[in-house]
Amino acid sequence: MGVNELMGEIAGVGRDARRGGYSRHVYDYADFELRDWFIDQALDSGLDVNTDRNGNIWAWWGNPGSDAVVTGSHLDSVPGGGAYDGPLGVASALAAVEILQGKGFAPAKPLALLVFAEEEGGRFGVPCLGSRLLTGAIDADRARNLRDTDGVTLAEAAVKAGHDPKRFGADPESLAQIGCFVELHVEQGRGLIELDSPVATGSSIIAHGRYRFSFSGQGNHAGATRLADRHDPMLPAATVVAAARRAAAAMNDARATVGRLVPTPGGTNVIASTVDLWLDARVSGEGRTAVLVEDITEAARAAAEAEGCELTVTEESYSDDVVFDETLRSRMDKVLGGVPALPTGAGHDAGILAAHVPSGMLYVRNPTGISHAPEEYAEPADIDSGAQSLARVLEELAG
Ligand code: GLV
Ligand code: MN
Ligand code: MN
């Protein structure tokens, strides 16, 4: 089945009628359906499928072994996300195998497809959970105890999904099988529109941190409480939203976003007792994310104090700048006949793996330039080019 047909098969899974787009979160029903779909497709292609200790799915062409050429991505989405972020890399991996099988290619090295259990952090907050667990970049206990918005822990969700969370954690045996890793992904910005190219390789990823700001004040009556008597945590929370934009604008090529803010109890006529918000901060260069977050935190502390509120700030995840392996990138570039190399502000499992094995990315043009939203798109012809490009890269690497 071609890559566009594969994408068509899952187009109805996990649609979010309220937000628009897709909400596919790790170990929810849509995720189960997508994981089963991937396994069925891989088995149909004659691959051997196994799930590792951390819930990542591997599909092997030939016997598992070291120095494998591995490609894949993720199936989960952000809330109300697009159709392509993640699944395009998985469908392209399946399609690339079919292209290579169709031309009678016999891999000299083991070749595997890898579906990471969770990339967006849409349910448990920490991005790239599957690859962080695999590589030991997150403590297994901390991961097991992460909670979703309903209070369900990752461990509980994993048990429901048939996994044994006691086995979560660094998996050096699985990691040692990977000789190199290539992730195909829809582009999440405007780079390929401007360069007028259907595909690119990835050169680097900007450092990225997520921070929880928890403000507590005094819940009270919106009509009966005089302004002077209030301790309203929404005021310092609003300061963070504005400070994030101001602080990022003051640094070269920085990004800071508040995309999620939760007042408790959350009533129109109720002064909130607490407000939690999550800051997503990204800026390249050692220590510069800390500088950016400190600037925002200072503004938050001053605003909290002025309103008589308390503030705690917790770093939930951090990833340093990633520079993808130049030898691998230039091999991909050569086999593709010279394509642009793009830096990105979006995080990927390939970025987590890059600290351990030569890793690279292939991007497919997104004509809207929009991602993490329903408008994310890729033209069928570009999607085909992407899968053909991935097949050529795998042929070169595993041949
Ligand atoms: C994932 O796409 C991220 O960069 O947040
Ligand atoms: Mn994403
Ligand atoms: Mn992604």
Side-chain angles (χ1 to χ4, degrees):
M1 209 180 298
V3 57
N4 281 292
E5 287 74 24
L6 287 164
M7 288 300 286
E9 284 210 334
I10 55 173
V13 182
R15 281 190 184 273
D16 190 324
R18 184 172 68 81
R19 298 183 177 102
Y22 293 88
S23 291
R24 298 159 162 171
H25 299 314
V26 65
Y27 303 143
D28 70 5
Y29 288 107
D31 190 48
F32 291 147
E33 204 173 326
L34 292 171
R35 289 166 70 91
D36 284 349
W37 165 81
F38 171 76
I39 291 169
D40 286 346
Q41 291 297 331
L43 292 173
D44 279 354
S45 293
L47 309 185
D48 292 322
V49 177
N50 72 280
T51 302
D52 71 20
R53 295 167 38 182
N54 295 300
N56 305 307
I57 311 172
W58 299 68
W60 288 91
W61 183 359
N63 291 325
S66 62
D67 206 22
V69 175
V70 183
T71 184
S73 192
H74 60 99
L75 292 167
D76 64 304
S77 76
V78 295
Y84 304 88
D85 177 355
L88 185 62
V90 175
S92 299
L94 287 163
V97 165
E98 201 174 292
I99 293 166
L100 294 175
Q101 288 176 338
K103 60 193 267 192
F105 174 67
K109 290 183 178 181
L111 208 154
L113 312 190
L114 177 53
V115 176
F116 288 103
E118 149 80 304
E119 194 267 357
E120 301 288 3
R123 181 166 178 191
F124 293 102
V126 174
C128 300
L129 206 43
S131 52
R132 281 185 207 271
L133 280 164
L134 170 71
T135 57
I138 186 169
D139 175 70
D141 253 338
R142 184 178 163 230
R144 279 187 280 265
N145 289 309
L146 291 170
R147 285 181 192 276
D148 69 9
T149 51
D150 295 325
V152 177
T153 64
L154 174 64
E156 288 160 352
V159 167
K160 263 200 170 161
H163 304 291
D164 178 1
K166 288 197 288 299
R167 300 186 67 236
F168 279 0
D171 183 355
E173 291 83 18
S174 293
L175 190 57
Q177 294 178 320
I178 307 177
C180 64
F181 179 73
V182 176
E183 177 168 359
L184 179 145
H185 207 280
V186 69
E187 208 221 347
Q188 297 178 277
R190 307 188 56 81
L192 287 173
I193 303 173
E194 283 156 15
L195 292 161
D196 194 22
S197 170
V199 297
T201 56
S203 55
S204 59
I205 301 181
I206 296 176
H208 172 205
R210 293 184 179 188
Y211 306 83
R212 178 184 184 140
F213 285 63
S214 298
F215 294 98
S216 59
Q218 177 59 58
N220 215 331
H221 193 290
T225 316
R226 293 181 304 191
L227 297 185
D229 295 338
R230 296 183 180 208
H231 304 292
D232 181 352
M234 195 57 92
L235 265 79
T239 295
V240 175
V241 176
R245 174 64 69 92
R246 174 196 51 73
M251 283 174 99
N252 186 27
D253 213 20
R255 291 113 206 235
T257 308
V258 177
R260 183 173 160 218
L261 185 148
V262 180
T264 302
T268 303
N269 56 347
V270 184
I271 298 167
S273 55
T274 65
V275 174
D276 289 309
L277 67 83
W278 284 261
L279 172 71
D280 180 304
R282 311 189 192 211
V283 58
S284 199
E286 195 171 340
R288 293 184 74 226
T289 306
V291 170
L292 173 62
V293 174
E294 189 46 41
D295 184 348
I296 298 165
T297 304
E298 262 178 42
R301 284 202 199 292
E305 201 180 312
E307 187 65 11
C309 294
E310 299 290 320
L311 167 63
T312 53
V313 180
T314 313
E315 179 185 289
E316 295 199 334
S317 66
Y318 177 74
S319 306
D320 259 326
D321 280 308
V322 173
V323 176
F324 286 114
D325 187 86
E326 186 47 34
T327 308
L328 175 60
R329 203 198 63 70
S330 61
R331 265 181 95 182
M332 297 200 295
D333 185 60
K334 199 163 165 205
V335 79
L336 298 177
V339 293
L342 283 185
T344 183
H348 299 290
D349 293 302
I352 301 293
L353 288 191
H356 303 269
V357 293
S359 300
M361 301 276 315
L362 270 179
Y363 295 116
V364 173
R365 175 166 52 196
N366 171 357
T368 68
I370 293 172
S371 185
H372 285 184
E375 292 82 1
E376 178 184 276
Y377 187 59
E379 294 286 354
D382 287 356
I383 289 177
D384 267 327
S385 285
Q388 293 288 348
S389 300
L390 181 62
R392 284 206 291 281
V393 165
L394 297 179
E395 187 176 16
E396 157 73 12
L397 298 174

